[in-house]
Amino acid sequence: MYKINLFLIVFSLFITSYIFAQILPSYPERSVTDSTYIQTSVTQVSEGAIEPDFYIVGPGDKIFISISGIEEAVYNLMINQEGYLYIPKVGGVDLRNKTLAEAKSIILTRLQKSYKNVEYFISLSDFRKIRVSLVGDVKKPSTYIVTSNSRLIDLLKMSYGLTVTSDFRNIKINSKDGSKNNYDYLSFLRLGDFSQNPFLKDGDVIIIDRINKMITINGLVKYPAHYEFKENETLASIINLAGGLLFNARKDSIELIRFAEDSKTQFSKYYTYDYIQNNLIPLFNGDQVLVRELPEFFIPQYVTINGKVRYPGFYKIIKDKTKLTEIIKEAGGFLEDASLADATLSRTDVETKKDPEFERIKLIPRADMTDDEYDYYKSKSRQRSGKVVTDFEKLFKENILSEDIILRTGDEINVPEKKNYITLIGQVVNPGNIIYQPGLKVEDYIQLAGGFSWRALENDVRVVKVNTGEWIDSDDIDQLEPGDTIWILENPPGPKFWSVFTTSLSVLGQVAAVIAATVAVIIATR
């Protein structure tokens, strides 16, 4: 029994994977197939005033009749199961297969024969219930009771839902009068075409087919996707169904890819959008439509300037022409407190690739790194992605034009405020910022900060350079620059007495145990 159940499970999985291996339509309206909304009957609702020329009356509909003269006669009558309406003092009226407009005309004609010099008011006062069937590729084929003003969408919403393989664009409705019609449900959902969302009639059989044939439209349309193939569809209609072309679509060469008669070889035909709109170009199963993008169309060309310029913000550039000096001039130039030494140009569109070596080293504990690995790790950590190497001081103070970079869209120019101070951190009495004074050395700034604190490691003072972030021993620094940071490391505290005492006792205990064991061995061997 267990083997049989296992076989059935594997077989069902195989069948499911086989079914879903086929390419299925991918447009967003198909999410309706995931609906869990279930209703066994539909309540009476209205989408507005009934259109008398389209609504077909039938058994169960209620007709309101008012005859106003010397006295008013009011009737609320129901069409019987044979399709007749009986009016008191008038007789029966045949309303079979009549629209509401035709029924009202027939009733009025009969009333005028029996009543003279009176006013008439005739209207539909209540809907009848009808029975329709939903069959085919649906989750639960069944018969449903709906009101006579229900449309196709009402039935599909109240049913147990469609499947992922249901064909939305080739829904068949067979009626009791022998008529058979096809409807494109997607055209109603996408375009609001009510002709593709018909009123249902008593006894209608709605047949949902399984997807068999498809076409594809890709590229610059609003809804690129796989679509069910529909007979007699044209290239213009599928583009319209896909939402039309986007503003940056190329209209001079829309490509139609088609299979040859051998169903293996493909060939292409090209059409302009105007030709497509004015000519009927039929589509066939397996066709693919490609709408390409206009090159370099509506691509904004701008850079951003932040910081100490007169007018920071966004600036338009001319591709491959606008230079750094030109855009700084347009921004009003630098302010007095601008730091050209710290100004940077960053390129945001630089392709960033992961460095596998850096990713590997990041996972290694520091103690397990080699010196080369640690140096590489530090260098990569300091690296600024997208930074363009250019010297603002040489360009704007010394007028060295080789530093004048041609800008690209998305570039960011940052001009920070001058850092007219040296920062001291770590083990000094008063850490913080001290105004920069040319000529002062590291030791001078430490003295200005109150000197070393009592736990300072005085022989290990480092300087963090403002531009690179590099750590340099203070002995190797000849001249400090504004913005540099002096870092005084902490001398780690020695071990506490109790810790030393307990460790010593532990060691002495182990030594005593070894001596005792040795003495015991010597005595035993005598």
Side-chain angles (χ1 to χ4, degrees):
M1 184 64 181
Y2 172 76
K3 292 182 177 179
I4 293 175
N5 290 337
L6 181 60
F7 171 77
L8 291 176
I9 293 173
V10 173
F11 179 74
S12 63
L13 290 174
F14 170 76
I15 292 297
T16 303
S17 63
Y18 174 77
I19 290 172
F20 290 101
Q22 71 179 100
I23 298 176
L24 296 174
S26 52
Y27 47 84
E29 287 82 357
R30 293 192 66 85
S31 61
V32 73
T33 59
D34 297 330
S35 175
T36 57
Y37 175 68
I38 300 173
Q39 181 178 329
T40 56
S41 62
V42 65
T43 56
Q44 180 177 316
V45 293
S46 174
E47 60 184 24
I50 292 296
E51 289 288 342
D53 293 329
F54 297 99
Y55 182 79
I56 305 297
V57 297
D61 278 335
K62 292 182 180 180
I63 305 296
F64 176 82
I65 301 175
S66 172
I67 305 171
S68 301
I70 298 176
E71 294 182 358
E72 183 179 14
V74 175
Y75 303 102
N76 204 357
L77 309 172
M78 181 182 292
I79 300 175
N80 67 21
Q81 298 304 309
E82 295 182 4
Y84 286 82
L85 180 71
Y86 178 78
I87 306 174
K89 300 180 182 180
V90 175
V93 180
D94 185 2
L95 300 180
R96 289 175 297 178
N97 299 319
K98 297 295 190 291
T99 66
L100 179 57
E102 293 171 338
K104 291 170 71 173
S105 177
I106 293 171
I107 293 170
L108 180 60
T109 301
R110 290 294 302 273
L111 290 175
Q112 287 174 341
K113 291 181 180 180
S114 301
Y115 296 91
K116 304 295 183 181
N117 301 320
V118 295
E119 294 182 357
Y120 308 98
F121 179 78
I122 305 168
S123 69
L124 179 68
S125 63
D126 199 1
F127 300 110
R128 69 189 185 279
K129 295 292 194 301
I130 61 174
R131 186 186 299 270
V132 295
S133 299
L134 180 65
V135 299
D137 190 27
V138 293
K139 291 183 178 179
K140 188 173 182 180
S142 183
T143 298
Y144 296 88
I145 305 300
V146 298
T147 55
S148 56
N149 68 328
S150 298
R151 291 181 180 269
L152 175 61
I153 189 173
D154 301 317
L155 174 65
L156 296 180
K157 281 188 174 182
M158 68 172 289
S159 67
Y160 283 74
L162 304 178
T163 71
V164 294
T165 55
S166 297
D167 192 333
F168 278 31
R169 305 197 61 213
N170 295 281
I171 296 178
K172 301 179 180 65
I173 298 182
N174 296 344
S175 301
K176 290 173 65 175
D177 59 7
S179 62
K180 298 181 178 181
N181 296 286
N182 291 343
Y183 296 94
D184 183 354
Y185 184 50
L186 178 60
S187 290
F188 168 70
L189 296 177
R190 178 74 57 80
L191 306 175
D193 184 356
F194 268 93
S195 68
Q196 303 301 313
N197 182 33
F199 282 112
L200 301 178
K201 295 179 291 185
D202 191 24
D204 278 354
V205 179
I206 296 88
I207 304 171
I208 308 295
D209 203 357
R210 190 182 185 86
I211 296 169
N212 182 33
K213 300 178 180 180
M214 287 204 306
I215 55 178
T216 303
I217 180 167
N218 284 319
L220 276 292
V221 292
K222 290 182 180 177
Y223 301 101
H226 302 294
Y227 291 90
E228 300 96 323
F229 172 70
K230 181 182 174 184
E231 293 290 343
N232 302 319
E233 187 160 47
T234 65
L235 184 53
S237 64
I238 193 61
I239 292 176
N240 183 52
L241 186 67
L245 304 185
L246 299 181
F247 72 93
N248 54 339
R250 185 175 178 179
K251 297 182 178 181
D252 61 349
S253 57
I254 296 175
E255 184 178 3
L256 175 61
I257 303 174
R258 178 166 293 167
F259 282 95
E261 294 182 359
D262 61 4
S263 299
K264 297 179 180 179
T265 308
Q266 286 184 302
F267 62 93
S268 295
K269 291 185 176 182
Y270 295 88
Y271 303 95
T272 65
Y273 183 67
D274 290 339
Y275 184 86
I276 292 171
Q277 294 300 309
N278 296 309
N279 294 273
L280 298 178
I281 304 171
L283 295 178
F284 297 97
N285 178 36
D287 281 356
Q288 298 181 46
V289 182
L290 298 179
V291 182
R292 292 183 170 83
E293 183 179 7
L294 284 171
E296 298 184 359
F297 189 71
F298 267 82
I299 298 177
Q301 300 288 336
Y302 68 92
V303 296
T304 307
I305 306 179
N306 299 314
K308 295 298 179 175
V309 293
R310 189 168 299 279
Y311 306 109
F314 292 91
Y315 286 87
K316 176 184 67 65
I317 63 171
I318 300 174
K319 185 179 179 181
D320 299 329
K321 289 186 177 181
T322 305
K323 293 186 177 182
L324 179 58
T325 51
E326 296 171 348
I327 213 68
I328 293 296
K329 182 179 180 180
E330 190 174 348
F334 300 108
L335 299 179
E336 291 184 2
D337 56 348
S339 174
L340 297 188
D342 300 326
T344 60
L345 171 62
S346 300
R347 188 145 288 169
T348 59
D349 64 345
V350 174
E351 183 180 359
T352 56
K353 295 182 178 179
K354 282 191 174 182
D355 185 342
E357 183 65 11
F358 182 59
E359 297 297 323
R360 180 188 69 83
I361 294 175
K362 282 198 303 184
L363 302 176
I364 303 175
R366 169 66 185 97
D368 297 335
M369 290 184 188
T370 64
D371 292 340
D372 289 342
E373 286 175 334
Y374 185 59
D375 288 342
Y376 187 78
Y377 175 76
K378 290 193 296 183
S379 299
K380 289 294 291 186
S381 298
R382 296 190 188 107
Q383 183 178 347
R384 301 179 185 179
S385 178
K387 182 179 179 181
V388 179
V389 178
T390 182
D391 193 322
F392 281 71
E393 288 188 318
K394 288 183 178 179
L395 175 60
F396 291 97
K397 289 184 177 180
E398 303 176 23
N399 199 29
I400 299 178
L401 297 181
S402 60
E403 301 289 337
D404 200 2
I405 301 293
I406 295 178
L407 300 176
R408 288 166 55 176
T409 184
D411 282 356
E412 294 182 0
I413 303 167
N414 291 285
V415 185
E417 184 180 5
K418 286 181 180 177
K419 295 179 180 179
N420 194 27
Y421 54 83
I422 298 294
T423 301
L424 284 92
I425 61 174
Q427 300 304 308
V428 290
V429 175
N430 296 304
N433 297 330
I434 297 178
I435 299 300
Y436 173 75
Q437 300 179 44
L440 293 186
K441 297 184 178 297
V442 173
E443 298 81 9
D444 300 326
Y445 284 103
I446 294 175
Q447 291 302 318
L448 290 174
F452 294 106
S453 64
W454 68 279
R455 289 179 59 182
L457 196 60
E458 299 183 13
N459 295 326
D460 194 358
V461 178
R462 302 178 188 180
V463 174
V464 183
K465 297 301 293 180
V466 60
N467 288 325
T468 64
E470 184 181 7
W471 299 356
I472 303 175
D473 289 337
S474 60
D475 295 339
D476 298 330
I477 295 294
D478 295 326
Q479 179 67 41
L480 291 171
E481 297 176 346
D484 283 351
T485 299
I486 300 173
W487 176 22
I488 297 91
L489 277 67
E490 179 182 4
N491 190 7
K496 295 182 179 180
F497 171 77
W498 183 252
S499 176
V500 174
F501 179 72
T502 55
T503 303
S504 300
L505 284 180
S506 176
V507 171
L508 290 174
Q510 293 175 5
V511 171
V514 171
I515 293 173
T518 304
V519 171
V521 170
I522 293 172
I523 293 173
T525 56
R526 286 183 178 181

